[in-house]
Amino acid sequence: MKQLAGLVEQALVDEVCLSPKPGLVDARNNGAHSDMDLALFIKSARALTPYFEQMAQAAWQQPISQTLRETIAHIGRKAEQAMFKETNGINTHKGAIWVMGLLTTVYAQRISTGQSIQTDELLKLVSCLAQFPDSRYQNKQLTHGEAVKQRYRVNGAYEEAVLGYPHISLALETYAKWQTATPQQYQLQMLLTLMSSVTDTCVLHRSDQGTLIEMQRLAKSASQTSLPNVSFVNLQKYCHQKYISPGGSADLLAASLLIIAVKRQFYRDKN
């Protein structure tokens, strides 16, 4: 399953290289981050590839089940350790490991049967897989995302998966609308769709609900016409001034790009 894992790596690289992105690390600058840059993200993405391949191998001709869920969770924790080792403790892709791991597992399971899969069915199976408990996991401390969820009573990465990634569906609808444009244009439009609709815990961790709402408003305004536009420039300035980075939206963009790539590579974009 090297091919599938390679598509995951490429989606992660494409996401970070997409420029310019409001508040996020890209090929032009480090956004709202002082401890991350483009080279670090690419290094991290490449370090994770063997673990996505392991997930794909584990899912080969296996049913969606509690056993499979715990197997890929174990691999995912090893991937996190490899990421932190490669980045000297910096969290570049923890959220991406979660969503990409689920997608890789379901894709590998379906590819092994020789069957194609519609996106809505893919996301339903991802939801099913995510709902199985990870009984081996012993959480010793509250993560930033979990703290934000408790404070603001909002959904996070886990709830997004259990719901079947509705925001990925929105991003793919945006792709369908803009797919004849350049990759930079349609990918930025997809990011804006996500930024305008996701309750991004990465933003809430650095700020508050008022800041998140204003970022969403600016992103929605920027998404109405081709880029660049005045609203997009204002959004970039706002993220810089508030020192916010929509990392959750970035993870979902990478996941959406993976779905597009898998359709092209394995299914010739027929579903």
Side-chain angles (χ1 to χ4, degrees):
M1 288 270 80
K2 289 183 180 293
Q3 190 176 15
L4 182 57
L7 291 180
V8 177
E9 178 184 317
Q10 190 60 54
L12 292 174
V13 171
D14 288 346
E15 182 280 314
V16 73
C17 288
L18 177 64
S19 306
K21 297 195 301 290
L24 293 161
V25 172
D26 61 26
R28 298 186 182 186
N29 60 62
N30 299 342
H33 299 276
S34 58
D35 58 349
M36 305 179 188
D37 59 19
L38 179 69
L40 187 70
F41 267 88
I42 293 176
K43 186 179 180 182
S44 173
R46 290 174 177 166
L48 294 175
T49 303
Y51 299 94
F52 290 121
E53 184 178 353
Q54 288 178 31
M55 291 182 193
Q57 290 171 342
W60 194 258
Q61 295 185 336
Q62 296 298 314
I64 302 298
S65 65
Q66 174 74 38
T67 299
L68 181 58
R69 169 74 175 88
E70 292 191 347
T71 298
I72 65 163
H74 177 66
I75 297 170
R77 287 190 288 275
K78 291 197 298 180
E80 285 185 16
Q81 292 171 3
M83 173 194 73
F84 284 127
K85 181 179 180 180
E86 198 71 19
T87 64
N88 292 318
I90 297 172
N91 178 11
T92 45
H93 285 119
K94 186 172 182 178
I97 292 170
W98 167 248
V99 59
M100 294 301 218
L102 290 169
L103 288 171
T104 298
T105 300
V106 173
Y107 268 132
Q109 193 268 345
R110 181 50 65 96
I111 291 169
S112 70
T113 68
Q115 295 176 296
S116 62
I117 185 169
Q118 301 283 344
T119 300
D120 57 352
E121 183 184 2
L122 167 74
L123 297 179
K124 285 179 182 177
L125 288 174
V126 164
S127 171
C128 179
L129 181 62
Q131 290 179 58
F132 286 108
D134 179 12
S135 59
R136 299 182 194 174
Y137 181 50
Q138 300 294 325
N139 190 14
K140 297 181 180 180
Q141 60 183 13
L142 201 65
T143 65
H144 291 321
E146 289 165 344
V148 166
K149 287 197 296 180
Q150 289 185 12
R151 180 179 180 183
Y152 293 102
R153 299 183 182 278
V154 296
N155 289 340
Y158 173 75
E159 290 78 14
E160 180 77 11
V162 168
L163 290 171
Y165 287 109
H167 292 99
I168 288 180
S169 295
L170 289 176
L172 293 174
E173 288 175 8
T174 300
Y175 168 70
K177 177 181 177 181
W178 289 91
Q179 63 180 306
T180 56
T182 64
Q184 181 200 34
Q185 184 75 218
Y186 73 66
Q187 290 174 17
L188 284 174
Q189 289 290 349
M190 291 168 72
L191 177 62
L192 290 173
T193 293
L194 292 164
M195 289 178 65
S196 67
S197 58
V198 173
T199 303
D200 202 313
T201 56
C202 293
V203 174
L204 287 174
H205 170 64
R206 288 181 174 228
S207 58
D208 52 37
Q209 281 187 315
T211 301
L212 173 65
I213 290 170
E214 179 61 11
M215 184 202 76
Q216 291 174 326
R217 186 191 70 80
L218 289 169
K220 184 175 182 178
S221 177
S223 70
Q224 301 305 304
T225 58
S226 297
L227 302 172
N229 57 48
V230 173
S231 294
F232 186 75
V233 173
N234 290 338
L235 175 61
Q236 290 179 290
K237 290 179 180 179
Y238 186 76
C239 290
H240 177 73
Q241 291 168 356
K242 293 293 184 177
Y243 199 65
I244 53 174
S245 178
S249 296
D251 292 337
L252 294 175
L253 173 61
S256 302
L257 296 179
L258 173 63
I259 291 173
I260 293 169
V262 170
K263 284 184 176 182
R264 290 172 175 170
Q265 188 72 34
F266 288 97
Y267 305 126
R268 297 184 181 180
D269 210 12
K270 291 182 178 180
N271 58 74

